[in-house]
Amino acid sequence: GLGYSFVNTGLISKIAKLLYKISLKFAKEVWVLNSDDKEILIEEGITDKEKIFILPGEGIDTNLFKPLKKEREDDKKVFLMISRAIFDKGVAEYAKAAELAKEKYGDKVEFQFLGAVAEDKKDGFIKEDMDELVKNNIINYLGITNDVPSSVKEADCIVLPSYREGISRVLLEAASME
């Protein structure tokens, strides 16, 4: 995916696009994961359409991301978002949905978040924001881990309301785990 350089505007975005344009000028082929990225690269004049190819997928390690038995035995519905806690990933929308669902369904639902908090408040939820959501029983913050499958297996639904995902790796991994 093209990432923040193509979502945001400003000096850093312009520099990143210039660097893409310079470096991709020498590429024989440019591979992207979706047609939106292909169109952006063409429209921005970053590379020629003859060089761009859309890959059919990313591939998932199905030995790591395989179906695992859920250990929890409650009848609660658990939603899990795995991401960095940044606005472009939809963290604000997830928190709002969690708040509304908790008002309606109370303890019958749980909203978990797994991933790093934002470093800057303008980019997303910083630690204090996440602490407030936890304190108000809106989100259960799981922190960060190298063992994502253990969290995924306990969830009923994996959520990623991102604004800028071509093919979401986390959703593919969760699908691989059934």
Side-chain angles (χ1 to χ4, degrees), residues 17-156:
K17 288 177 183 179
L18 178 63
L19 291 173
Y20 268 111
K21 192 171 189 170
I22 292 168
S23 63
L24 293 180
K25 180 179 182 178
F26 302 102
K28 290 182 182 179
E29 293 181 352
V30 176
W31 299 351
V32 295
L33 293 172
N34 60 71
S35 58
D36 289 340
D37 288 352
K38 178 180 178 178
E39 294 306 315
I40 288 171
L41 290 174
I42 294 167
E43 287 171 13
E44 299 260 350
I46 292 172
T47 193
D48 300 322
K49 67 180 178 180
E50 295 80 24
K51 288 184 176 183
I52 300 179
F53 298 93
I54 299 174
L55 294 175
E58 291 186 64
I60 298 301
D61 180 351
T62 56
N63 291 318
L64 177 61
F65 295 97
K66 62 186 176 202
L68 297 171
K69 184 171 173 27
K70 187 181 296 184
E71 293 177 15
R72 67 180 181 84
E73 296 180 5
D74 58 36
D75 58 353
K76 186 184 297 191
K77 294 298 175 199
V78 175
F79 297 83
L80 172 62
M81 180 174 176
I82 305 170
S83 172
R84 289 171 291 148
I86 57 176
F87 295 131
D88 289 345
K89 297 288 185 184
V91 68
E93 290 78 1
Y94 182 69
K96 184 62 176 175
E99 183 179 353
L100 294 171
K102 294 291 273 186
E103 285 174 12
K104 185 170 183 176
Y105 299 106
D107 289 336
K108 294 180 181 179
V109 295
E110 180 179 341
F111 288 78
Q112 301 176 344
F113 187 89
L114 177 64
V117 293
E119 293 181 19
D120 190 325
K121 194 165 184 68
K122 73 175 176 47
D123 295 328
F125 287 3
I126 59 173
K127 183 181 181 318
E128 290 79 9
D129 297 325
M130 195 61 75
D131 289 346
E132 187 71 18
L133 291 168
V134 170
K135 183 178 116 187
N136 292 327
N137 195 33
I138 295 170
I139 287 182
N140 179 8
Y141 180 52
L142 304 179
I144 57 175
T145 184
N146 289 325
D147 183 15
V148 172
S150 290
S151 297
V152 171
K153 76 175 180 160
E154 299 302 324
D156 297 298

